[in-house]
Amino acid sequence: MPEEIPDSLDSQTMISLRDLRVNYGDREILHGISFDVRHGETLVILGGSGSGKSTLLRTLVGLEKPTSGEIWIKGKNIAALSESELDEIRKKIGMSFQGGALFGSMTVGENVALPLREHTNLEDSTIEIVLRLKLEQVGLEGFEYYMPSQLSGGMKKRAAVARALAMDPEILFFDEPSAGLDPIIAAGIDQLIVELKQAFRMTIIVVTHELASAYLIADRMVLIDKGNIVAIGTPDAMRASTQPRVRQFFDRVPEPEVVRELDYLQMLTEDPRRRSESTERRP
Amino acid sequence: MQFVSQIGGSVINGLAYFGSLASLGGRAAYYTFVGPFQGKPLRLQRAVSQAMDVGVRALPILSLITFFIGLILALQAAYELRRFGAIEYVSTAVAVSMTRELGPLITAIVVIGRSGSAFAAEIGTMKVTEEIDALETMAISPVQFLVTPKFLAMIMMLPCLTIWANTLGILGGSLFGVGQAGFTLRRYIAASIDSLFLRDIVSGLIKSVMFGITITAVGCLEGLSTGAGAEQVGRSTTRAVVMSIFLVVVVDLVFTALFFFLSEH
């Protein structure tokens, strides 16, 4: 029962989802999701474990293919694109993964420079300048020669953001940016997101379950539960909502984690990180 | 009936596995031969650094192993040959066995142990830490970035390693030949070379290239299909080694039979 009906497409809309359904095998994880993300907006996707928020994020960046429905990004329905057309969209987005997903065999600088080396014809000296700029933007000035294993958790996340920013993306995605960080470091990452928002007016989509971070960074929030949108609106509107599921989430009301073994098995099979499947999508 | 359906299931799984290998090999071939003409140039530097790992760093252990294998071959051949008073044919036995069969095969097994497992572990770990996903979101094909350089490296290095293995095997045999069969080193080497036909060496080298392709395909496929968690990386690595050994032997059989029937005319 969404609180907001999505608008029709207009030039202010960056991303538009229409009745998105995603399956893993026979199980439908997302049951017809529809919402819009406006240009320059920071949208936080909230939800519990097994709500489908990770699936939603992965589908938005093209790592999962929808079963049905449409995802309009910059006027193109990415659900219907070929891999090479999808690649063109991917060059305009950046994603920061939960653990950073930095390439362990390269230095921080080489990590950030990778998209530039692969997709542009820039000179090495220019790339050097750009990567130093990006590292400075995330507060990692001078760390370009460090290996990822030498960085702390918070620094890894910052490096991941720098890499996501390398190609000056129009949309930035974050998967659980505060996960595994202590509150002070997590606050630093939140601060970074706010700074990016203000400096570059990027469209930012963050998946998290940390309410404190969400309040700080969100222009709007959307709460997902069991593959459906429960509520969508500004932080104030969400805080004031009287819907039971919304109140339960925001007031941190506990409920039994599992009722039956079958339910738990269902929840397990929803998590994309537990699937073992080869990545066979490319030509 | 249960048993029959199990066999049917296994056959289908086996065919599916072979299909996945072929698909991966096909994509890697695309990025090697077609990609460069479509604005996706070959990153040779990555292939060269892989070649260093696969080839150059394998030389010490490969040298020791194949030297001993050559010596073992000589001992086993001499065991029979001396009954016929034909111990001087030891050089022939070692040279032909090494170049046609044991050089390529032992080299492949050493490379499986070193590089086949490493490929699966490296790519598998990247899968678990979402680095493969990260590549995809950056519009970089994991096959082009990770797999193609490995294929190039293996195809370049395995024939070279095989030649090295053949040489050291013959040298190992020479130790026996000089010590026990009345050869001088020069005469042994000359006798070995005399006993070889070009087709012995070439058939061995062709096999070594096919082994290299097989090892890379299996190692990379297992890595890419790793499940979640560190334990799964271990499983993928083990599977990669075992399947590589099995498939290398199958490929060996196919090509040995092929060369046999081709040589009949």
Side-chain angles (χ1 to χ4, degrees), chain A residues 219-255:
Chain A
D219 292 329
R220 279 195 304 157
M221 301 173 175
V222 53
L223 179 62
I224 309 252
D225 186 45
K226 295 194 174 51
N228 292 305
I229 295 183
V230 170
I232 181 167
T234 62
D236 289 332
M238 298 287 270
R239 241 184 299 227
S241 166
T242 51
Q243 282 191 309
R245 278 309 271 177
V246 180
R247 286 262 57 85
Q248 191 175 27
F249 194 86
F250 278 72
D251 294 340
R252 296 184 94 234
V253 175
E255 82 175 9

Side-chain angles (χ1 to χ4, degrees), chain A residues 3-276:
Chain A
E3 286 180 338
E4 196 179 280
I5 311 294
D7 300 330
S8 54
L9 290 175
D10 59 42
S11 60
Q12 283 304 307
T13 307
M14 198 63 161
I15 302 176
S16 190
L17 275 68
R18 293 278 174 271
D19 199 37
L20 181 70
R21 288 175 196 274
V22 180
N23 285 21
Y24 287 157
D26 298 331
R27 280 182 46 72
E28 191 177 70
I29 306 296
L30 296 176
H31 314 301
I33 304 275
S34 301
F35 62 84
D36 288 346
V37 183
R38 296 177 203 128
H39 196 279
E41 172 179 40
T42 300
L43 180 79
V44 173
I45 301 176
L46 290 166
S49 316
S51 56
K53 63 184 194 298
S54 298
T55 308
L56 178 57
L57 186 66
R58 289 174 64 86
T59 313
L60 281 172
V61 297
L63 288 172
E64 303 288 345
K65 264 230 164 323
T67 314
S68 71
E70 298 158 6
I71 304 177
W72 295 90
I73 298 184
K74 292 179 62 65
K76 293 216 164 82
N77 178 11
I78 67 169
L81 291 181
S82 66
E83 280 297 314
S84 50
E85 289 169 322
L86 198 53
D87 275 348
E88 288 309 308
I89 302 275
R90 284 181 176 141
K91 288 177 195 170
K92 302 199 182 99
I93 67 171
M95 172 128 171
S96 171
F97 286 84
Q98 188 167 337
L102 296 168
F103 304 118
S105 55
M106 304 178 194
T107 64
V108 168
E110 284 165 348
N111 264 276
V112 177
L114 183 66
L116 297 167
R117 287 197 210 282
E118 291 288 317
H119 298 310
T120 69
N121 293 320
L122 292 173
E123 299 268 326
D124 280 348
S125 47
T126 317
I127 292 180
E128 187 78 24
I129 297 171
V130 174
L131 79 88
R132 290 221 192 104
L133 244 173
K134 301 298 173 187
L135 285 174
E136 204 186 310
Q137 278 167 6
V138 301
L140 281 180
E141 198 179 330
F143 281 90
E144 55 259 29
Y145 296 113
Y146 278 62
M147 298 299 285
S149 55
Q150 294 171 308
L151 300 180
S152 70
M155 291 162 76
K156 278 184 192 152
K157 301 257 178 160
R158 288 175 184 270
V161 176
R163 185 177 67 184
L165 288 172
M167 297 277 283
D168 292 318
E170 296 173 42
I171 313 174
L172 206 50
F173 294 89
F174 287 87
D175 187 9
E176 310 267 6
S178 323
L181 301 177
D182 69 55
I184 298 174
I185 309 286
I189 300 293
D190 292 338
Q191 180 66 19
L192 175 61
I193 297 177
V194 170
E195 279 167 14
L196 289 174
K197 191 169 89 156
Q198 287 167 346
F200 299 107
R201 307 213 172 285
M202 266 184 271
T203 310
I204 301 179
I205 301 194
V206 180
V207 164
T208 185
H209 54 248
E210 302 271 347
L211 286 172
S213 297
Y215 285 136
L216 197 63
I217 61 184
D219 292 329
R220 279 195 304 157
M221 301 173 175
V222 53
L223 179 62
I224 309 252
D225 186 45
K226 295 194 174 51
N228 292 305
I229 295 183
V230 170
I232 181 167
T234 62
D236 289 332
M238 298 287 270
R239 241 184 299 227
S241 166
T242 51
Q243 282 191 309
R245 278 309 271 177
V246 180
R247 286 262 57 85
Q248 191 175 27
F249 194 86
F250 278 72
D251 294 340
R252 296 184 94 234
V253 175
E255 82 175 9
E257 190 185 330
V258 280
V259 180
R260 298 177 312 176
E261 187 186 337
L262 274 169
D263 288 344
Y264 185 61
L265 284 172
Q266 274 195 344
M267 202 180 83
L268 272 183
T269 55
E270 278 175 15
D271 187 339
R273 281 178 261 272
R274 289 186 167 96
R275 285 193 307 150
S276 54

